[in-house]
Amino acid sequence: MTEEWFSVIELAEKTGIAEPSLRRYITKFHPYFISKGGNRAKKYDASAINLLLRIKTLYNAGYETIGVLEIIRQEFPMTINDPKHVDTTGNPTVSGLATTEDVAKLKNLLNDMNEKLVKQEEFNTLLIQKLENQNLFIKDTLKNKTPLLLEKVAIEEEVKKPAEKSKKGFWNRFFK
């Protein structure tokens, strides 16, 4: 089964749309067209015919570009080009298609990520506040030595005193 690919001139003949208008449609709504080839020899998938006819119908009905874009978004899948994917068989590759459901899933994922980011920011704020409180406590403790701390320092000093006395030389122990 071979797929048909059309040039801009062939699309103009098949759809009855003037070539300049057709090029404008392709430029404005390019994410919805499946294409292959370079700029000069670009070819478009057969699905482009239905898309171009729908765009022409909407413009003829009086819609502006923004209104046409909203309707096209709902009715046609958006194409996603993957530059990492290379077809080594020599056959032209077709871009993957993203439907409105795919876009909705992506939006939901982004919303979930944003919610988690907000929770992480709240946690970070709380953690920083606790660290600041601990830092203040340590500074206050060092400035205003509490009685328990003073007692502990005194006990440590007393423990050191006998050890200093026992460090006297051998002959000093005999002659007091």
Coordinates of all heavy atoms in Angstrom, one line a residue, residues 26-106:
I26 N -1.1 26.7 4.7 CA -0.1 25.7 5.2 C 0.9 26.4 6.2 O 1.3 25.8 7.2 CB 0.7 25.1 4.0 CG1 -0.2 24.2 3.2 CG2 2.0 24.4 4.5 CD1 0.4 23.7 1.9
T27 N 1.2 27.7 5.9 CA 2.1 28.4 6.9 C 1.4 28.6 8.2 O 2.0 28.4 9.3 CB 2.5 29.7 6.2 OG1 3.2 29.5 5.0 CG2 3.5 30.5 7.1
K28 N 0.2 29.1 8.2 CA -0.5 29.4 9.4 C -0.9 28.1 10.3 O -0.9 28.2 11.5 CB -1.8 30.2 9.2 CG -1.5 31.6 8.7 CD -2.8 32.4 8.6 CE -2.4 33.8 8.1 NZ -2.7 34.8 9.0
F29 N -1.1 27.0 9.6 CA -1.6 25.8 10.3 C -0.6 24.7 10.1 O -1.0 23.5 10.0 CB -3.0 25.5 9.8 CG -4.0 26.6 9.9 CD1 -4.4 27.3 8.8 CD2 -4.6 26.9 11.1 CE1 -5.3 28.4 8.9 CE2 -5.5 27.9 11.3 CZ -5.8 28.6 10.2
H30 N 0.7 25.0 10.0 CA 1.7 24.0 9.7 C 1.7 22.8 10.7 O 2.1 21.7 10.3 CB 3.1 24.6 9.6 CG 3.6 25.2 10.8 ND1 4.3 24.4 11.7 CD2 3.5 26.4 11.3 CE1 4.6 25.2 12.7 NE2 4.2 26.4 12.5
P31 N 1.4 23.0 11.9 CA 1.5 21.8 12.8 C 0.5 20.7 12.5 O 0.6 19.6 12.9 CB 1.2 22.3 14.2 CG 1.4 23.8 14.1 CD 1.1 24.2 12.7
Y32 N -0.5 21.0 11.6 CA -1.5 20.0 11.3 C -1.3 19.3 10.0 O -2.1 18.4 9.6 CB -2.9 20.7 11.3 CG -3.2 21.3 12.7 CD1 -2.9 22.6 12.9 CD2 -3.7 20.5 13.7 CE1 -3.2 23.2 14.2 CE2 -3.9 21.1 14.9 CZ -3.7 22.4 15.2 OH -3.9 22.9 16.4
F33 N -0.2 19.6 9.3 CA 0.1 19.0 8.0 C 1.2 18.0 8.2 O 2.2 18.3 8.8 CB 0.5 20.1 7.0 CG -0.6 21.0 6.5 CD1 -0.9 22.2 7.2 CD2 -1.5 20.5 5.5 CE1 -2.0 23.0 6.7 CE2 -2.5 21.3 5.1 CZ -2.8 22.5 5.7
I34 N 1.1 16.9 7.5 CA 2.2 15.9 7.5 C 2.9 16.1 6.2 O 2.3 16.1 5.1 CB 1.6 14.5 7.6 CG1 0.8 14.3 8.9 CG2 2.7 13.4 7.4 CD1 0.0 13.0 8.9
S35 N 4.2 16.3 6.3 CA 5.0 16.6 5.1 C 6.3 15.8 5.1 O 6.7 15.3 6.1 CB 5.3 18.1 5.0 OG 6.1 18.5 6.1
K36 N 6.9 15.8 3.9 CA 8.2 15.2 3.8 C 9.0 16.0 2.7 O 8.4 16.7 1.9 CB 8.1 13.7 3.3 CG 7.6 13.5 1.9 CD 7.7 12.1 1.5 CE 7.3 11.9 0.0 NZ 7.4 10.6 -0.4
G37 N 10.2 15.9 2.8 CA 11.1 16.6 1.8 C 11.5 18.0 2.3 O 11.1 18.4 3.4
G38 N 12.3 18.7 1.5 CA 12.8 20.0 1.8 C 11.9 21.1 1.5 O 10.7 20.8 1.1
N39 N 12.3 22.3 1.6 CA 11.5 23.5 1.4 C 11.0 23.5 -0.1 O 9.8 23.8 -0.3 CB 12.2 24.7 1.7 CG 12.4 24.9 3.2 OD1 11.7 24.3 4.0 ND2 13.4 25.6 3.6
R40 N 11.8 23.3 -1.0 CA 11.4 23.4 -2.4 C 10.6 22.2 -2.9 O 9.6 22.4 -3.6 CB 12.7 23.5 -3.3 CG 13.3 24.8 -3.3 CD 12.7 25.6 -4.4 NE 13.5 26.7 -4.9 CZ 13.0 27.8 -5.2 NH1 11.7 28.0 -5.1 NH2 13.8 28.7 -5.7
A41 N 11.0 21.1 -2.5 CA 10.3 19.8 -3.0 C 9.4 19.2 -1.9 O 9.3 18.0 -1.8 CB 11.4 18.8 -3.4
K42 N 8.9 20.1 -1.1 CA 8.0 19.5 0.0 C 6.8 18.9 -0.5 O 6.1 19.5 -1.4 CB 7.7 20.7 1.0 CG 7.2 20.2 2.3 CD 7.0 21.3 3.3 CE 8.3 21.2 4.2 NZ 8.1 22.0 5.4
K43 N 6.4 17.8 0.0 CA 5.2 17.1 -0.4 C 4.4 16.9 0.8 O 4.9 16.7 1.9 CB 5.6 15.7 -1.0 CG 6.4 15.7 -2.2 CD 5.6 15.8 -3.4 CE 6.5 15.7 -4.6 NZ 5.8 15.7 -5.9
Y44 N 3.0 16.8 0.6 CA 2.1 16.7 1.7 C 1.3 15.5 1.6 O 0.9 15.1 0.5 CB 1.2 18.0 1.8 CG 2.0 19.2 2.1 CD1 2.5 20.0 1.0 CD2 2.3 19.6 3.4 CE1 3.3 21.1 1.3 CE2 3.1 20.7 3.6 CZ 3.5 21.5 2.6 OH 4.3 22.6 2.8
D45 N 0.9 14.9 2.7 CA 0.1 13.7 2.8 C -1.3 14.0 2.3 O -1.8 15.1 2.2 CB 0.1 13.3 4.3 CG -0.6 11.9 4.5 OD1 -0.3 11.0 3.7 OD2 -1.5 11.8 5.4
A46 N -2.0 12.9 1.9 CA -3.3 13.0 1.3 C -4.3 13.6 2.3 O -5.3 14.2 2.0 CB -3.8 11.6 0.9
S47 N -4.0 13.5 3.6 CA -4.9 14.1 4.7 C -4.9 15.6 4.6 O -5.8 16.2 5.1 CB -4.5 13.6 6.1 OG -3.2 14.1 6.3
A48 N -4.0 16.2 3.9 CA -3.9 17.6 3.8 C -5.1 18.2 2.9 O -5.5 19.3 3.2 CB -2.6 18.1 3.1
I49 N -5.6 17.4 2.0 CA -6.7 17.8 1.2 C -7.9 18.1 2.1 O -8.6 19.2 2.0 CB -7.1 16.7 0.1 CG1 -5.9 16.6 -0.8 CG2 -8.3 17.1 -0.6 CD1 -6.0 15.4 -1.8
N50 N -8.3 17.2 3.0 CA -9.5 17.4 3.9 C -9.2 18.6 4.8 O -10.1 19.4 5.0 CB -9.7 16.2 4.7 CG -10.2 15.0 3.9 OD1 -10.8 15.2 2.8 ND2 -10.0 13.8 4.3
L51 N -8.0 18.7 5.3 CA -7.7 19.8 6.2 C -7.8 21.2 5.4 O -8.4 22.1 5.9 CB -6.3 19.7 6.7 CG -5.7 20.7 7.6 CD1 -6.7 21.0 8.8 CD2 -4.3 20.4 8.1
L52 N -7.3 21.2 4.2 CA -7.3 22.5 3.4 C -8.8 22.9 3.1 O -9.1 24.0 3.2 CB -6.5 22.4 2.2 CG -5.0 22.4 2.4 CD1 -4.2 21.9 1.2 CD2 -4.5 23.7 2.8
L53 N -9.6 21.9 2.7 CA -11.0 22.1 2.4 C -11.7 22.6 3.6 O -12.6 23.5 3.5 CB -11.6 20.9 1.8 CG -11.2 20.5 0.4 CD1 -11.7 19.1 0.0 CD2 -11.5 21.6 -0.6
R54 N -11.4 22.1 4.8 CA -12.1 22.5 6.0 C -11.7 24.0 6.4 O -12.5 24.8 6.8 CB -11.7 21.6 7.2 CG -12.4 21.9 8.5 CD -13.9 21.8 8.4 NE -14.4 22.0 9.7 CZ -15.6 22.5 9.9 NH1 -16.4 22.9 8.9 NH2 -16.1 22.7 11.2
I55 N -10.4 24.3 6.2 CA -9.9 25.6 6.5 C -10.6 26.6 5.6 O -11.1 27.7 6.0 CB -8.4 25.7 6.3 CG1 -7.7 24.9 7.4 CG2 -7.9 27.2 6.4 CD1 -6.2 24.7 7.3
K56 N -10.7 26.3 4.3 CA -11.3 27.1 3.3 C -12.8 27.3 3.6 O -13.3 28.5 3.6 CB -11.2 26.5 1.9 CG -11.9 27.4 0.8 CD -11.8 26.7 -0.5 CE -12.6 27.5 -1.6 NZ -12.7 26.8 -2.9
T57 N -13.5 26.3 4.0 CA -14.9 26.4 4.4 C -15.1 27.3 5.6 O -16.0 28.1 5.7 CB -15.4 24.9 4.8 OG1 -15.2 24.1 3.7 CG2 -16.9 25.0 5.1
L58 N -14.2 27.2 6.6 CA -14.3 28.0 7.8 C -14.1 29.5 7.5 O -14.8 30.4 8.0 CB -13.4 27.5 8.9 CG -13.7 26.2 9.5 CD1 -12.6 25.7 10.4 CD2 -15.0 26.2 10.3
Y59 N -13.1 29.8 6.7 CA -12.8 31.1 6.3 C -14.0 31.7 5.5 O -14.4 32.8 5.7 CB -11.5 31.3 5.4 CG -10.3 31.4 6.3 CD1 -9.2 30.5 6.2 CD2 -10.1 32.5 7.1 CE1 -8.1 30.7 6.9 CE2 -9.0 32.7 7.9 CZ -8.0 31.7 7.8 OH -6.8 31.9 8.5
N60 N -14.6 30.9 4.6 CA -15.7 31.3 3.8 C -17.0 31.6 4.7 O -17.8 32.4 4.3 CB -16.1 30.3 2.7 CG -15.0 30.3 1.6 OD1 -14.3 31.3 1.4 ND2 -15.0 29.2 0.8
A61 N -17.0 30.8 5.8 CA -18.1 31.0 6.7 C -18.0 32.3 7.6 O -18.9 32.6 8.4 CB -18.3 29.8 7.6
G62 N -16.8 33.0 7.5 CA -16.6 34.2 8.2 C -15.8 34.1 9.4 O -15.6 35.1 10.1
Y63 N -15.2 33.0 9.7 CA -14.3 32.8 10.8 C -13.0 33.6 10.6 O -12.5 33.6 9.4 CB -14.0 31.4 11.1 CG -15.1 30.6 11.8 CD1 -16.0 29.9 11.0 CD2 -15.2 30.6 13.1 CE1 -17.1 29.2 11.6 CE2 -16.2 29.8 13.7 CZ -17.1 29.2 13.0 OH -18.2 28.5 13.6
E64 N -12.4 34.1 11.7 CA -11.1 34.7 11.6 C -10.1 33.6 11.9 O -10.5 32.5 12.3 CB -11.0 35.9 12.6 CG -11.8 37.0 12.2 CD -11.7 38.2 13.1 OE1 -10.8 38.2 14.0 OE2 -12.4 39.2 12.9
T65 N -8.8 33.9 11.7 CA -7.8 32.9 11.9 C -7.8 32.2 13.3 O -7.7 31.0 13.4 CB -6.4 33.5 11.7 OG1 -6.4 34.1 10.3 CG2 -5.3 32.4 11.8
I66 N -8.1 33.0 14.3 CA -8.1 32.5 15.7 C -9.2 31.5 15.8 O -9.1 30.4 16.4 CB -8.2 33.6 16.7 CG1 -7.0 34.4 16.7 CG2 -8.5 33.0 18.1 CD1 -7.0 35.7 17.6
G67 N -10.4 31.8 15.3 CA -11.5 30.9 15.3 C -11.3 29.6 14.5 O -11.7 28.5 14.9
V68 N -10.7 29.8 13.3 CA -10.4 28.6 12.5 C -9.4 27.7 13.3 O -9.6 26.5 13.3 CB -9.8 29.1 11.1 CG1 -9.3 27.9 10.4 CG2 -10.8 29.8 10.3
L69 N -8.4 28.3 13.9 CA -7.4 27.5 14.6 C -8.0 26.7 15.8 O -7.7 25.6 16.0 CB -6.3 28.4 15.2 CG -5.1 27.8 15.9 CD1 -4.4 26.8 15.0 CD2 -4.2 28.8 16.4
E70 N -9.0 27.3 16.5 CA -9.7 26.6 17.6 C -10.4 25.4 17.1 O -10.4 24.4 17.7 CB -10.6 27.6 18.3 CG -9.8 28.6 19.2 CD -10.8 29.6 19.8 OE1 -12.0 29.5 19.8 OE2 -10.2 30.6 20.4
I71 N -11.1 25.6 15.9 CA -11.9 24.5 15.4 C -11.0 23.4 14.8 O -11.2 22.2 15.1 CB -12.9 25.0 14.3 CG1 -13.9 25.9 15.0 CG2 -13.5 23.9 13.5 CD1 -14.8 26.6 14.0
I72 N -9.9 23.8 14.1 CA -9.0 22.8 13.6 C -8.3 22.0 14.7 O -8.1 20.8 14.6 CB -7.9 23.6 12.7 CG1 -8.5 24.2 11.5 CG2 -6.8 22.6 12.3 CD1 -9.2 23.2 10.6
R73 N -8.0 22.7 15.8 CA -7.4 22.0 17.0 C -8.3 20.9 17.5 O -7.8 19.8 17.9 CB -7.2 23.0 18.1 CG -5.8 23.4 18.4 CD -5.7 24.2 19.7 NE -4.8 25.3 19.4 CZ -5.0 26.5 19.8 NH1 -6.0 26.8 20.6 NH2 -4.1 27.4 19.5
Q74 N -9.6 21.1 17.4 CA -10.5 20.0 17.9 C -10.7 18.9 16.9 O -11.0 17.8 17.2 CB -11.8 20.7 18.3 CG -11.7 21.6 19.4 CD -13.0 22.4 19.7 OE1 -14.0 22.3 18.9 NE2 -13.0 23.2 20.7
E75 N -10.6 19.3 15.6 CA -11.0 18.3 14.6 C -9.9 17.5 14.0 O -10.1 16.4 13.4 CB -11.8 19.0 13.4 CG -13.1 19.6 13.9 CD -13.8 20.3 12.8 OE1 -13.3 20.4 11.6 OE2 -14.9 20.8 13.1
F76 N -8.7 18.1 14.0 CA -7.5 17.4 13.3 C -6.4 17.2 14.3 O -6.1 18.0 15.2 CB -7.0 18.3 12.1 CG -8.0 18.3 11.0 CD1 -9.0 19.3 11.0 CD2 -8.0 17.4 10.0 CE1 -9.9 19.4 9.9 CE2 -8.9 17.4 9.0 CZ -9.9 18.4 8.9
P77 N -5.7 16.1 14.1 CA -4.5 15.9 15.0 C -3.3 16.7 14.6 O -3.1 17.1 13.5 CB -4.2 14.4 14.8 CG -4.7 14.1 13.4 CD -5.9 15.0 13.2
M78 N -2.6 17.1 15.6 CA -1.4 17.9 15.4 C -0.2 17.0 15.1 O -0.1 15.9 15.7 CB -1.1 18.7 16.7 CG 0.0 19.8 16.6 SD 0.3 20.7 18.1 CE -1.2 21.7 18.2
T79 N 0.7 17.3 14.2 CA 1.8 16.5 14.0 C 3.0 16.9 14.8 O 3.2 18.1 15.1 CB 2.2 16.6 12.5 OG1 2.6 17.9 12.2 CG2 1.1 16.1 11.6
I80 N 3.8 15.9 15.2 CA 5.0 16.2 16.1 C 6.1 15.6 15.3 O 6.2 14.4 15.0 CB 4.8 15.5 17.4 CG1 3.6 16.1 18.2 CG2 6.1 15.7 18.2 CD1 3.3 15.4 19.5
N81 N 7.1 16.4 15.0 CA 8.3 15.9 14.3 C 9.3 15.5 15.4 O 9.6 16.2 16.3 CB 8.9 17.0 13.5 CG 8.0 17.4 12.3 OD1 7.4 16.5 11.7 ND2 7.9 18.7 12.0
D82 N 9.9 14.3 15.2 CA 10.9 13.8 16.1 C 12.2 13.7 15.3 O 12.5 12.8 14.5 CB 10.5 12.4 16.6 CG 11.4 11.8 17.6 OD1 12.4 12.5 18.0 OD2 11.3 10.6 18.0
P83 N 13.1 14.7 15.6 CA 14.4 14.7 14.9 C 15.3 13.6 15.2 O 16.2 13.3 14.5 CB 15.0 16.1 15.3 CG 14.3 16.4 16.5 CD 13.0 15.8 16.5
K84 N 15.1 12.9 16.4 CA 15.9 11.8 16.8 C 15.6 10.5 16.0 O 16.4 9.6 15.9 CB 15.7 11.5 18.3 CG 16.2 12.6 19.1 CD 16.0 12.3 20.6 CE 16.5 13.5 21.5 NZ 16.1 13.2 22.8
H85 N 14.3 10.5 15.5 CA 13.9 9.3 14.7 C 14.4 9.4 13.3 O 14.0 10.3 12.6 CB 12.4 9.1 14.8 CG 11.9 7.9 14.0 ND1 12.1 6.6 14.4 CD2 11.2 7.9 12.8 CE1 11.6 5.8 13.5 NE2 11.1 6.6 12.5
V86 N 15.2 8.4 12.9 CA 15.7 8.4 11.5 C 15.3 7.1 10.9 O 15.6 6.0 11.5 CB 17.2 8.7 11.4 CG1 17.7 8.6 10.0 CG2 17.5 10.0 12.1
D87 N 14.7 7.1 9.8 CA 14.3 5.8 9.1 C 15.5 5.4 8.2 O 15.9 6.1 7.3 CB 13.1 6.0 8.2 CG 12.5 4.7 7.7 OD1 13.1 3.7 8.0 OD2 11.5 4.8 7.0
T88 N 16.1 4.3 8.6 CA 17.3 3.8 7.9 C 16.9 2.9 6.7 O 17.8 2.5 5.9 CB 18.2 2.9 8.8 OG1 17.4 1.9 9.4 CG2 18.7 3.8 9.9
T89 N 15.6 2.7 6.4 CA 15.2 1.9 5.3 C 15.2 2.6 4.0 O 15.0 2.1 2.9 CB 13.9 1.2 5.6 OG1 12.9 2.2 5.7 CG2 13.9 0.3 6.8
G90 N 15.3 4.0 4.1 CA 15.2 4.8 2.9 C 13.8 5.3 2.6 O 13.6 6.1 1.7
N91 N 12.8 4.7 3.4 CA 11.5 5.2 3.2 C 11.3 6.5 3.9 O 11.8 6.7 4.9 CB 10.5 4.2 3.7 CG 10.6 2.8 3.0 OD1 10.9 2.8 1.9 ND2 10.3 1.8 3.8
P92 N 10.4 7.4 3.3 CA 10.2 8.7 4.0 C 9.4 8.4 5.3 O 8.6 7.5 5.4 CB 9.3 9.5 3.0 CG 8.8 8.4 2.1 CD 9.7 7.3 2.1
T93 N 9.8 9.1 6.3 CA 9.2 8.9 7.6 C 8.0 9.9 7.8 O 8.0 11.0 7.2 CB 10.1 9.2 8.8 OG1 10.6 10.5 8.7 CG2 11.3 8.2 8.8
V94 N 7.0 9.5 8.5 CA 5.8 10.3 8.7 C 5.9 10.8 10.2 O 6.2 9.9 11.1 CB 4.5 9.6 8.4 CG1 3.3 10.4 8.8 CG2 4.5 9.1 7.0
S95 N 5.7 12.0 10.5 CA 5.7 12.5 11.8 C 4.6 11.8 12.6 O 3.5 11.4 12.1 CB 5.4 14.0 11.8 OG 6.4 14.6 11.0
G96 N 4.8 11.7 13.9 CA 3.8 11.1 14.8 C 2.7 12.1 15.0 O 2.9 13.3 14.8
L97 N 1.5 11.6 15.2 CA 0.4 12.5 15.4 C 0.0 12.6 16.8 O 0.0 11.7 17.6 CB -0.8 11.9 14.6 CG -0.6 11.8 13.1 CD1 -1.8 11.1 12.4 CD2 -0.3 13.1 12.4
A98 N -0.4 13.8 17.2 CA -0.9 14.1 18.5 C -2.3 14.5 18.4 O -2.7 15.5 17.8 CB -0.1 15.2 19.2
T99 N -3.2 13.8 19.1 CA -4.6 14.1 19.1 C -4.9 15.0 20.3 O -4.1 15.3 21.1 CB -5.4 12.8 19.2 OG1 -5.1 12.2 20.5 CG2 -5.1 11.8 18.1
T100 N -6.1 15.5 20.3 CA -6.5 16.4 21.4 C -6.5 15.6 22.7 O -6.3 16.3 23.7 CB -8.0 16.9 21.1 OG1 -8.9 15.9 20.9 CG2 -8.0 17.9 20.0
E101 N -6.7 14.3 22.7 CA -6.6 13.5 23.9 C -5.2 13.5 24.4 O -4.9 13.6 25.6 CB -7.1 12.1 23.7 CG -8.6 11.9 23.4 CD -8.9 12.1 22.0 OE1 -8.0 12.0 21.1 OE2 -10.1 12.5 21.7
D102 N -4.2 13.4 23.5 CA -2.8 13.5 23.9 C -2.5 14.8 24.5 O -1.8 14.9 25.5 CB -1.9 13.2 22.7 CG -2.0 11.8 22.1 OD1 -2.4 10.9 22.9 OD2 -1.8 11.6 20.9
V103 N -3.0 15.9 23.9 CA -2.7 17.2 24.4 C -3.3 17.4 25.8 O -2.7 17.9 26.7 CB -3.2 18.3 23.4 CG1 -3.1 19.7 24.0 CG2 -2.4 18.2 22.1
A104 N -4.5 16.8 25.9 CA -5.2 16.9 27.3 C -4.4 16.1 28.3 O -4.3 16.6 29.4 CB -6.6 16.3 27.1
K105 N -3.9 14.9 27.9 CA -3.1 14.2 28.9 C -1.8 15.0 29.3 O -1.4 15.0 30.4 CB -2.6 12.8 28.3 CG -3.7 11.8 28.2 CD -3.3 10.5 27.6 CE -4.4 9.5 27.3 NZ -3.9 8.3 26.7
L106 N -1.2 15.6 28.3 CA 0.0 16.4 28.6 C -0.3 17.6 29.5 O 0.4 17.9 30.4 CB 0.6 17.0 27.3 CG 1.3 15.9 26.4 CD1 1.7 16.5 25.1 CD2 2.5 15.4 27.1

